[in-house]
Amino acid sequence: MAGTNSERQLLAEGPVIILVEPQMGENIGMVARAMANFGLVDLRLVNPRDGWPNEKAQAAASKADHVIAGTRVYDTLEQAIADLNFVYATTARSRDNYKPVRSPVFAAETLRTKFRAGEATGILFGRERWGLTNEEVALADEIVTFPVNPAFASLNIAQAVLLMSYEWMKSSMEDLEAVPFQALEQRPSTKEQLFGLFEQLEEALDSRNYFHPPSKKPKMVDNLRAVLSRRAFTEQEISVLRGVISSLDRFTRNSTRKGGFTRSGKDAPTDDSADE
C-alpha cells in the first residue's frame, strides 16, 4: 500500500481508543487505519454488534494489522476504562452536565502532558447512530468536541478518531510547519542559461515559419520571452525545456505552416505525398 514502509520506525504509543458498541466492522477497520496513521495502537471495543474478530474490519484496516491484532473486547465500558487514569468523551452535542468541554487541540495537549507523566489515558467514541449516552459520558473526566458545521455536526466514527489522532501527533511536534520530506534542491538558472533557452527556441520556431507574418515577429518574440520569464527556472528545468526543443530537429526545417511538419532522415515516411 502506498505510504507504508516496513523499514522505518513504527510509532506505537499514546491514549487508548475506546469504541462503545460499534455497529459495523468496516468502521472498526477504518478506525484502526486512522490510529496507525498517527502512531496510536491500543484499540478497545465495548460489546461490538457483530462480534470479534471481524473479517470486514481486517479488510478495511488496510494493513494496520498491528492495531487489529492487539484489539481487546470488553462487555462493559466500566471494564474497558478501569485501568485508565484520565478519559475524554467525544460528543458533537451539548450535554446536561458540569464536565469541562475542551477543543481537540487542548485535549491533545492534555493527553500528551499526562502521557509524559506516565498516566494511562483514553478517548471514548460512541455508536455510529447516536454516539454516547449521558451515563457513558458521565464516566469520563472531560468532554472533547469538534468545531464543525452546527447544522451538520455528525461525524463518521473513523473521521472523529482520525481528527483526534492527528491532533495527538501534532502535540509531539516542535515545529507545526515541519514536513516529512522536501522537494529536491535545485540550483536556480543563470540569466545566461535563460538567454540560451530564448535563442534556441526562437531559432527553432523561426526555421519553421512560426513567426508569421514577419512584421509581427518582434512582438511575438517579446511575448514569448515574457511568458518564459514569469517564473525563475532551475538549471534542471532549463535543461528539460531545451531537450524538448532539440527534439524538434527530428522534423525538417523550413516547412510551411500550411503543409505541416515532415520527418527527415531515417524517420522520413516513404509516402511522397508527405514531402510538399
Side-chain angles (χ1 to χ4, degrees), residues 15 51 57 94 137 150 160 166 186-187 192 198 203-204 229 256 263 265:
S94 177
V137 172
Y166 174 60
Q186 299 184 42
R187 289 172 55 85
E192 181 181 14
F198 291 161
E203 192 275 334
S229 300
T256 62
R263 292 187 178 275

Side-chain angles (χ1 to χ4, degrees), residues 114-210:
K114 292 181 178 298
F115 169 75
R116 288 169 176 161
E119 296 186 36
T121 62
I123 312 173
L124 305 182
F125 296 86
R127 304 153 190 84
E128 289 92 329
R129 289 188 178 181
W130 66 87
L132 296 167
T133 66
N134 287 335
E135 292 76 15
E136 290 162 347
V137 172
L139 296 177
D141 297 277
E142 296 184 358
I143 291 172
V144 59
T145 192
F146 304 100
V148 293
N149 183 348
F152 196 78
S154 177
L155 288 173
N156 175 279
I157 189 172
Q159 293 174 324
V161 172
L162 181 72
L163 289 174
M164 282 306 303
S165 300
Y166 174 60
E167 292 299 339
W168 164 258
M169 175 67 81
K170 283 172 56 181
S171 69
S172 69
M173 298 172 60
E174 295 182 1
D175 180 3
L176 293 181
E177 295 183 2
V179 292
F181 59 88
Q182 294 285 349
L184 294 176
E185 289 190 15
Q186 299 184 42
R187 289 172 55 85
S189 64
T190 64
K191 293 303 181 184
E192 181 181 14
Q193 290 169 327
L194 185 60
F195 297 155
L197 172 64
F198 291 161
E199 293 170 0
Q200 182 183 6
L201 179 57
E202 291 160 16
E203 192 275 334
L205 293 173
D206 196 30
S207 68
R208 292 165 176 79
N209 297 324
Y210 173 80

Side-chain angles (χ1 to χ4, degrees), residues 188-204 221-222 224-226 228-235 237-239 241-242 245:
S189 64
T190 64
K191 293 303 181 184
E192 181 181 14
Q193 290 169 327
L194 185 60
F195 297 155
L197 172 64
F198 291 161
E199 293 170 0
Q200 182 183 6
L201 179 57
E202 291 160 16
E203 192 275 334
V221 168
D222 286 344
L224 183 62
R225 292 192 174 197
L228 295 174
S229 300
R230 290 184 66 179
R231 56 155 293 173
F233 288 105
T234 65
E235 290 182 345
E237 289 168 336
I238 291 287
S239 178
L241 288 173
R242 297 198 66 169
I245 298 167

Side-chain angles (χ1 to χ4, degrees), residues 81-110:
I81 65 174
D83 62 329
L84 303 182
N85 302 109
F86 184 90
V87 176
Y88 272 113
T90 60
T91 182
R93 64 179 185 273
S94 177
R95 302 282 181 159
D96 295 328
N97 56 53
Y98 300 97
K99 293 185 183 297
V101 180
R102 309 299 190 187
S103 71
V105 175
F106 185 97
E109 292 291 347
T110 299

